[in-house]
Amino acid sequence: MSKLARVFSGIQPTGVPQLGNYLGSLKNWVAMQNSGQYGELFYSVVDLHALTVPRDPRVLRQETMEMAAAIIACGVDPKRSVLFRQSAVPAHTQLLWTLGCITPVGWLNRMTQWKTKLQSQNEAANLNAQAAQGLLAGLLTYPVLMAADILLYRATHIPVGEDQVQHLEFARDLALHFNKIYGQKMFPPPQSILTPSKRIMSLKDPLRKMSKSDPNEMSRITLSDSDDEIRKKIKRAPTDAIAGITYDPKERPGVANLVGIYAALRDINDPAEAARAMESMNNAQLKDAVADAVVGTLGPIRDEMHRLLGDKVYLEGVLCANEAKARTVAEESWREIAQCAGLASV
């Protein structure tokens, strides 16, 4: 990988991350930082994206700080990576509008996330005729802001999971569309870094993805859980009556989820390999092994996160310093984009 490569990735401020966030995103951020393969890394807490769902302002601010503390606690070094709050860099929304003005509505209507929301709303409309008109514009234009996040920094490489590939393709298409309209190679089409899929399922229903939105707290492990809470949640996770340990997500989803968590934490790329090493275990032994792996990984992260949240002045100072770095890059980029589009480029 070229040292000129520039990485951008963002995560919504949902408060303290859960295990799926850590394995699906944050662990990969740290690995990219420590690999030495990339020139610059920009990691953002994308608080503007969070506004697509109405939020209590005080809660949003608190959850933004919790997410920032968790990112640092996981191993992202603010001296080696640029960690910042999206809303602290005004050029994100300036580019959002500029790109939105050249984005065909048909492109937005094809986005899976929008179609899913629309389908859900239309189903609700069977009971309420006005419900179909209730979707917010932010949900429709969300992909444009995501593209602006990437293109503002002329990012060349974007870490994505399988469920995010469509958004990156949208950003690539929009970059090429802008370049064609204005006759300049303003934006490099960003390339994907397909991260290992770590789809962590609920500890109560292994057919559903682990999520902070699940009302049942026993369904997920968060980075703030105590060792006892972690062990209790894993002990109560559903398995089955089949003897031995195998990795079969279709026939044995509960066992497969636990094996998948263990493999991800132990850096075993193939969960089936982890299952073969544990095939003689019973379910209780499997749960003990998984709990040990989770506690061993998350315990130090939790302690560091609590330390950072206990010193808000320091945490705010770290973010402000990094946001100044992000603004320097973003404002220089925006001046070039504005000049290209015929806007004021002061």
Side-chain angles (χ1 to χ4, degrees):
M1 187 70 64
S2 169
K3 286 296 185 71
L4 297 177
R6 179 178 282 175
V7 170
F8 178 90
S9 191
I11 189 168
Q12 284 212 31
T14 55
V16 177
Q18 41 93 352
L19 183 62
N21 301 135
Y22 171 71
L23 292 174
S25 297
L26 303 183
K27 190 170 185 283
N28 292 322
W29 286 13
V30 176
M32 286 188 292
Q33 170 192 270
N34 295 341
S35 71
Q37 296 182 27
Y38 305 97
E40 296 177 285
L41 299 105
F42 290 82
Y43 295 142
S44 181
V45 181
V46 288
D47 48 353
L48 291 171
H49 285 290
L51 295 179
T52 56
V53 177
R55 303 283 293 274
D56 181 310
R58 291 170 297 179
V59 173
L60 178 56
R61 290 191 192 96
Q62 174 64 24
E63 292 187 339
T64 298
M65 296 300 281
E66 289 174 348
M67 180 59 76
I71 292 169
I72 297 172
C74 286
V76 170
D77 184 350
K79 295 180 180 178
R80 300 170 62 193
S81 303
V82 182
L83 174 64
F84 66 100
R85 291 165 291 197
Q86 179 190 32
S87 62
V89 184
H92 282 260
T93 49
Q94 291 174 303
L95 184 53
L96 160 66
W97 178 255
T98 306
L99 294 177
C101 288
I102 65 168
T103 301
V105 173
W107 289 14
L108 298 173
N109 283 327
R110 287 197 295 268
M111 300 301 289
T112 300
Q113 186 179 39
W114 170 254
K115 289 194 294 185
T116 300
K117 295 286 186 182
L118 188 61
Q119 182 179 0
S120 299
Q121 199 78 357
N122 284 339
E123 290 172 356
N126 291 330
L127 299 177
N128 182 352
Q130 294 182 340
Q133 305 300 318
L135 285 174
L136 303 177
L139 289 171
L140 179 64
T141 59
Y142 183 99
V144 184
L145 179 55
M146 187 176 290
D149 297 336
I150 294 168
L151 301 181
L152 181 61
Y153 298 93
R154 318 286 178 89
T156 59
H157 292 79
I158 313 299
V160 294
E162 292 180 359
D163 58 344
Q164 299 168 315
V165 170
Q166 187 187 36
H167 284 100
L168 180 58
E169 290 175 346
F170 180 93
R172 284 177 57 86
D173 290 343
L174 200 48
L176 294 171
H177 189 49
F178 183 99
N179 291 348
K180 182 178 180 180
I181 287 175
Y182 290 103
Q184 294 191 32
K185 293 183 178 180
M186 181 63 62
F187 301 121
Q191 301 177 40
S192 64
I193 305 172
L194 280 174
T195 56
S197 179
K198 300 292 191 298
R199 188 174 176 83
I200 306 303
M201 311 308 284
S202 165
L203 293 179
K204 298 304 293 181
D205 180 359
L207 299 179
R208 297 168 60 90
K209 191 174 179 181
M210 185 179 287
S211 172
K212 288 287 292 291
S213 63
D214 192 319
N216 189 340
E217 292 188 1
M218 296 298 290
S219 70
R220 61 187 173 272
I221 293 170
T222 72
L223 270 60
S224 63
D225 283 348
S226 69
D227 293 354
D228 288 343
E229 288 172 326
I230 291 170
R231 293 186 184 280
K232 181 179 179 181
K233 290 177 179 181
I234 292 174
K235 184 177 181 179
R236 295 187 179 182
T239 50
D240 54 52
I242 301 173
I245 303 302
T246 58
Y247 183 72
D248 188 341
K250 184 176 180 181
E251 299 297 329
R252 307 186 69 186
V255 169
N257 189 36
L258 293 176
V259 171
I261 291 172
Y262 179 88
L265 290 170
R266 295 297 192 222
D267 293 320
I268 302 172
N269 292 329
D270 183 2
E273 178 185 338
R276 286 191 292 271
M278 298 188 289
E279 61 184 352
S280 63
M281 290 183 178
N282 58 37
N283 288 336
Q285 291 170 323
L286 169 64
K287 290 180 178 181
D288 285 342
V290 174
D292 287 344
V294 175
V295 167
T297 300
L298 299 191
I301 293 174
R302 176 192 61 228
D303 295 344
E304 177 63 6
M305 183 177 65
H306 287 164
R307 186 190 72 80
L308 290 167
L309 288 172
D311 191 348
K312 294 288 182 63
V313 173
Y314 169 78
L315 184 57
E316 181 70 27
V318 168
L319 290 174
C320 287
N322 274 250
E323 285 154 5
K325 297 177 186 177
R327 281 195 296 272
T328 296
V329 175
E331 288 168 3
E332 180 180 352
S333 178
W334 170 248
R335 281 193 291 270
E336 295 180 23
I337 297 165
Q339 178 70 25
C340 178
L343 303 173
S345 55
V346 295

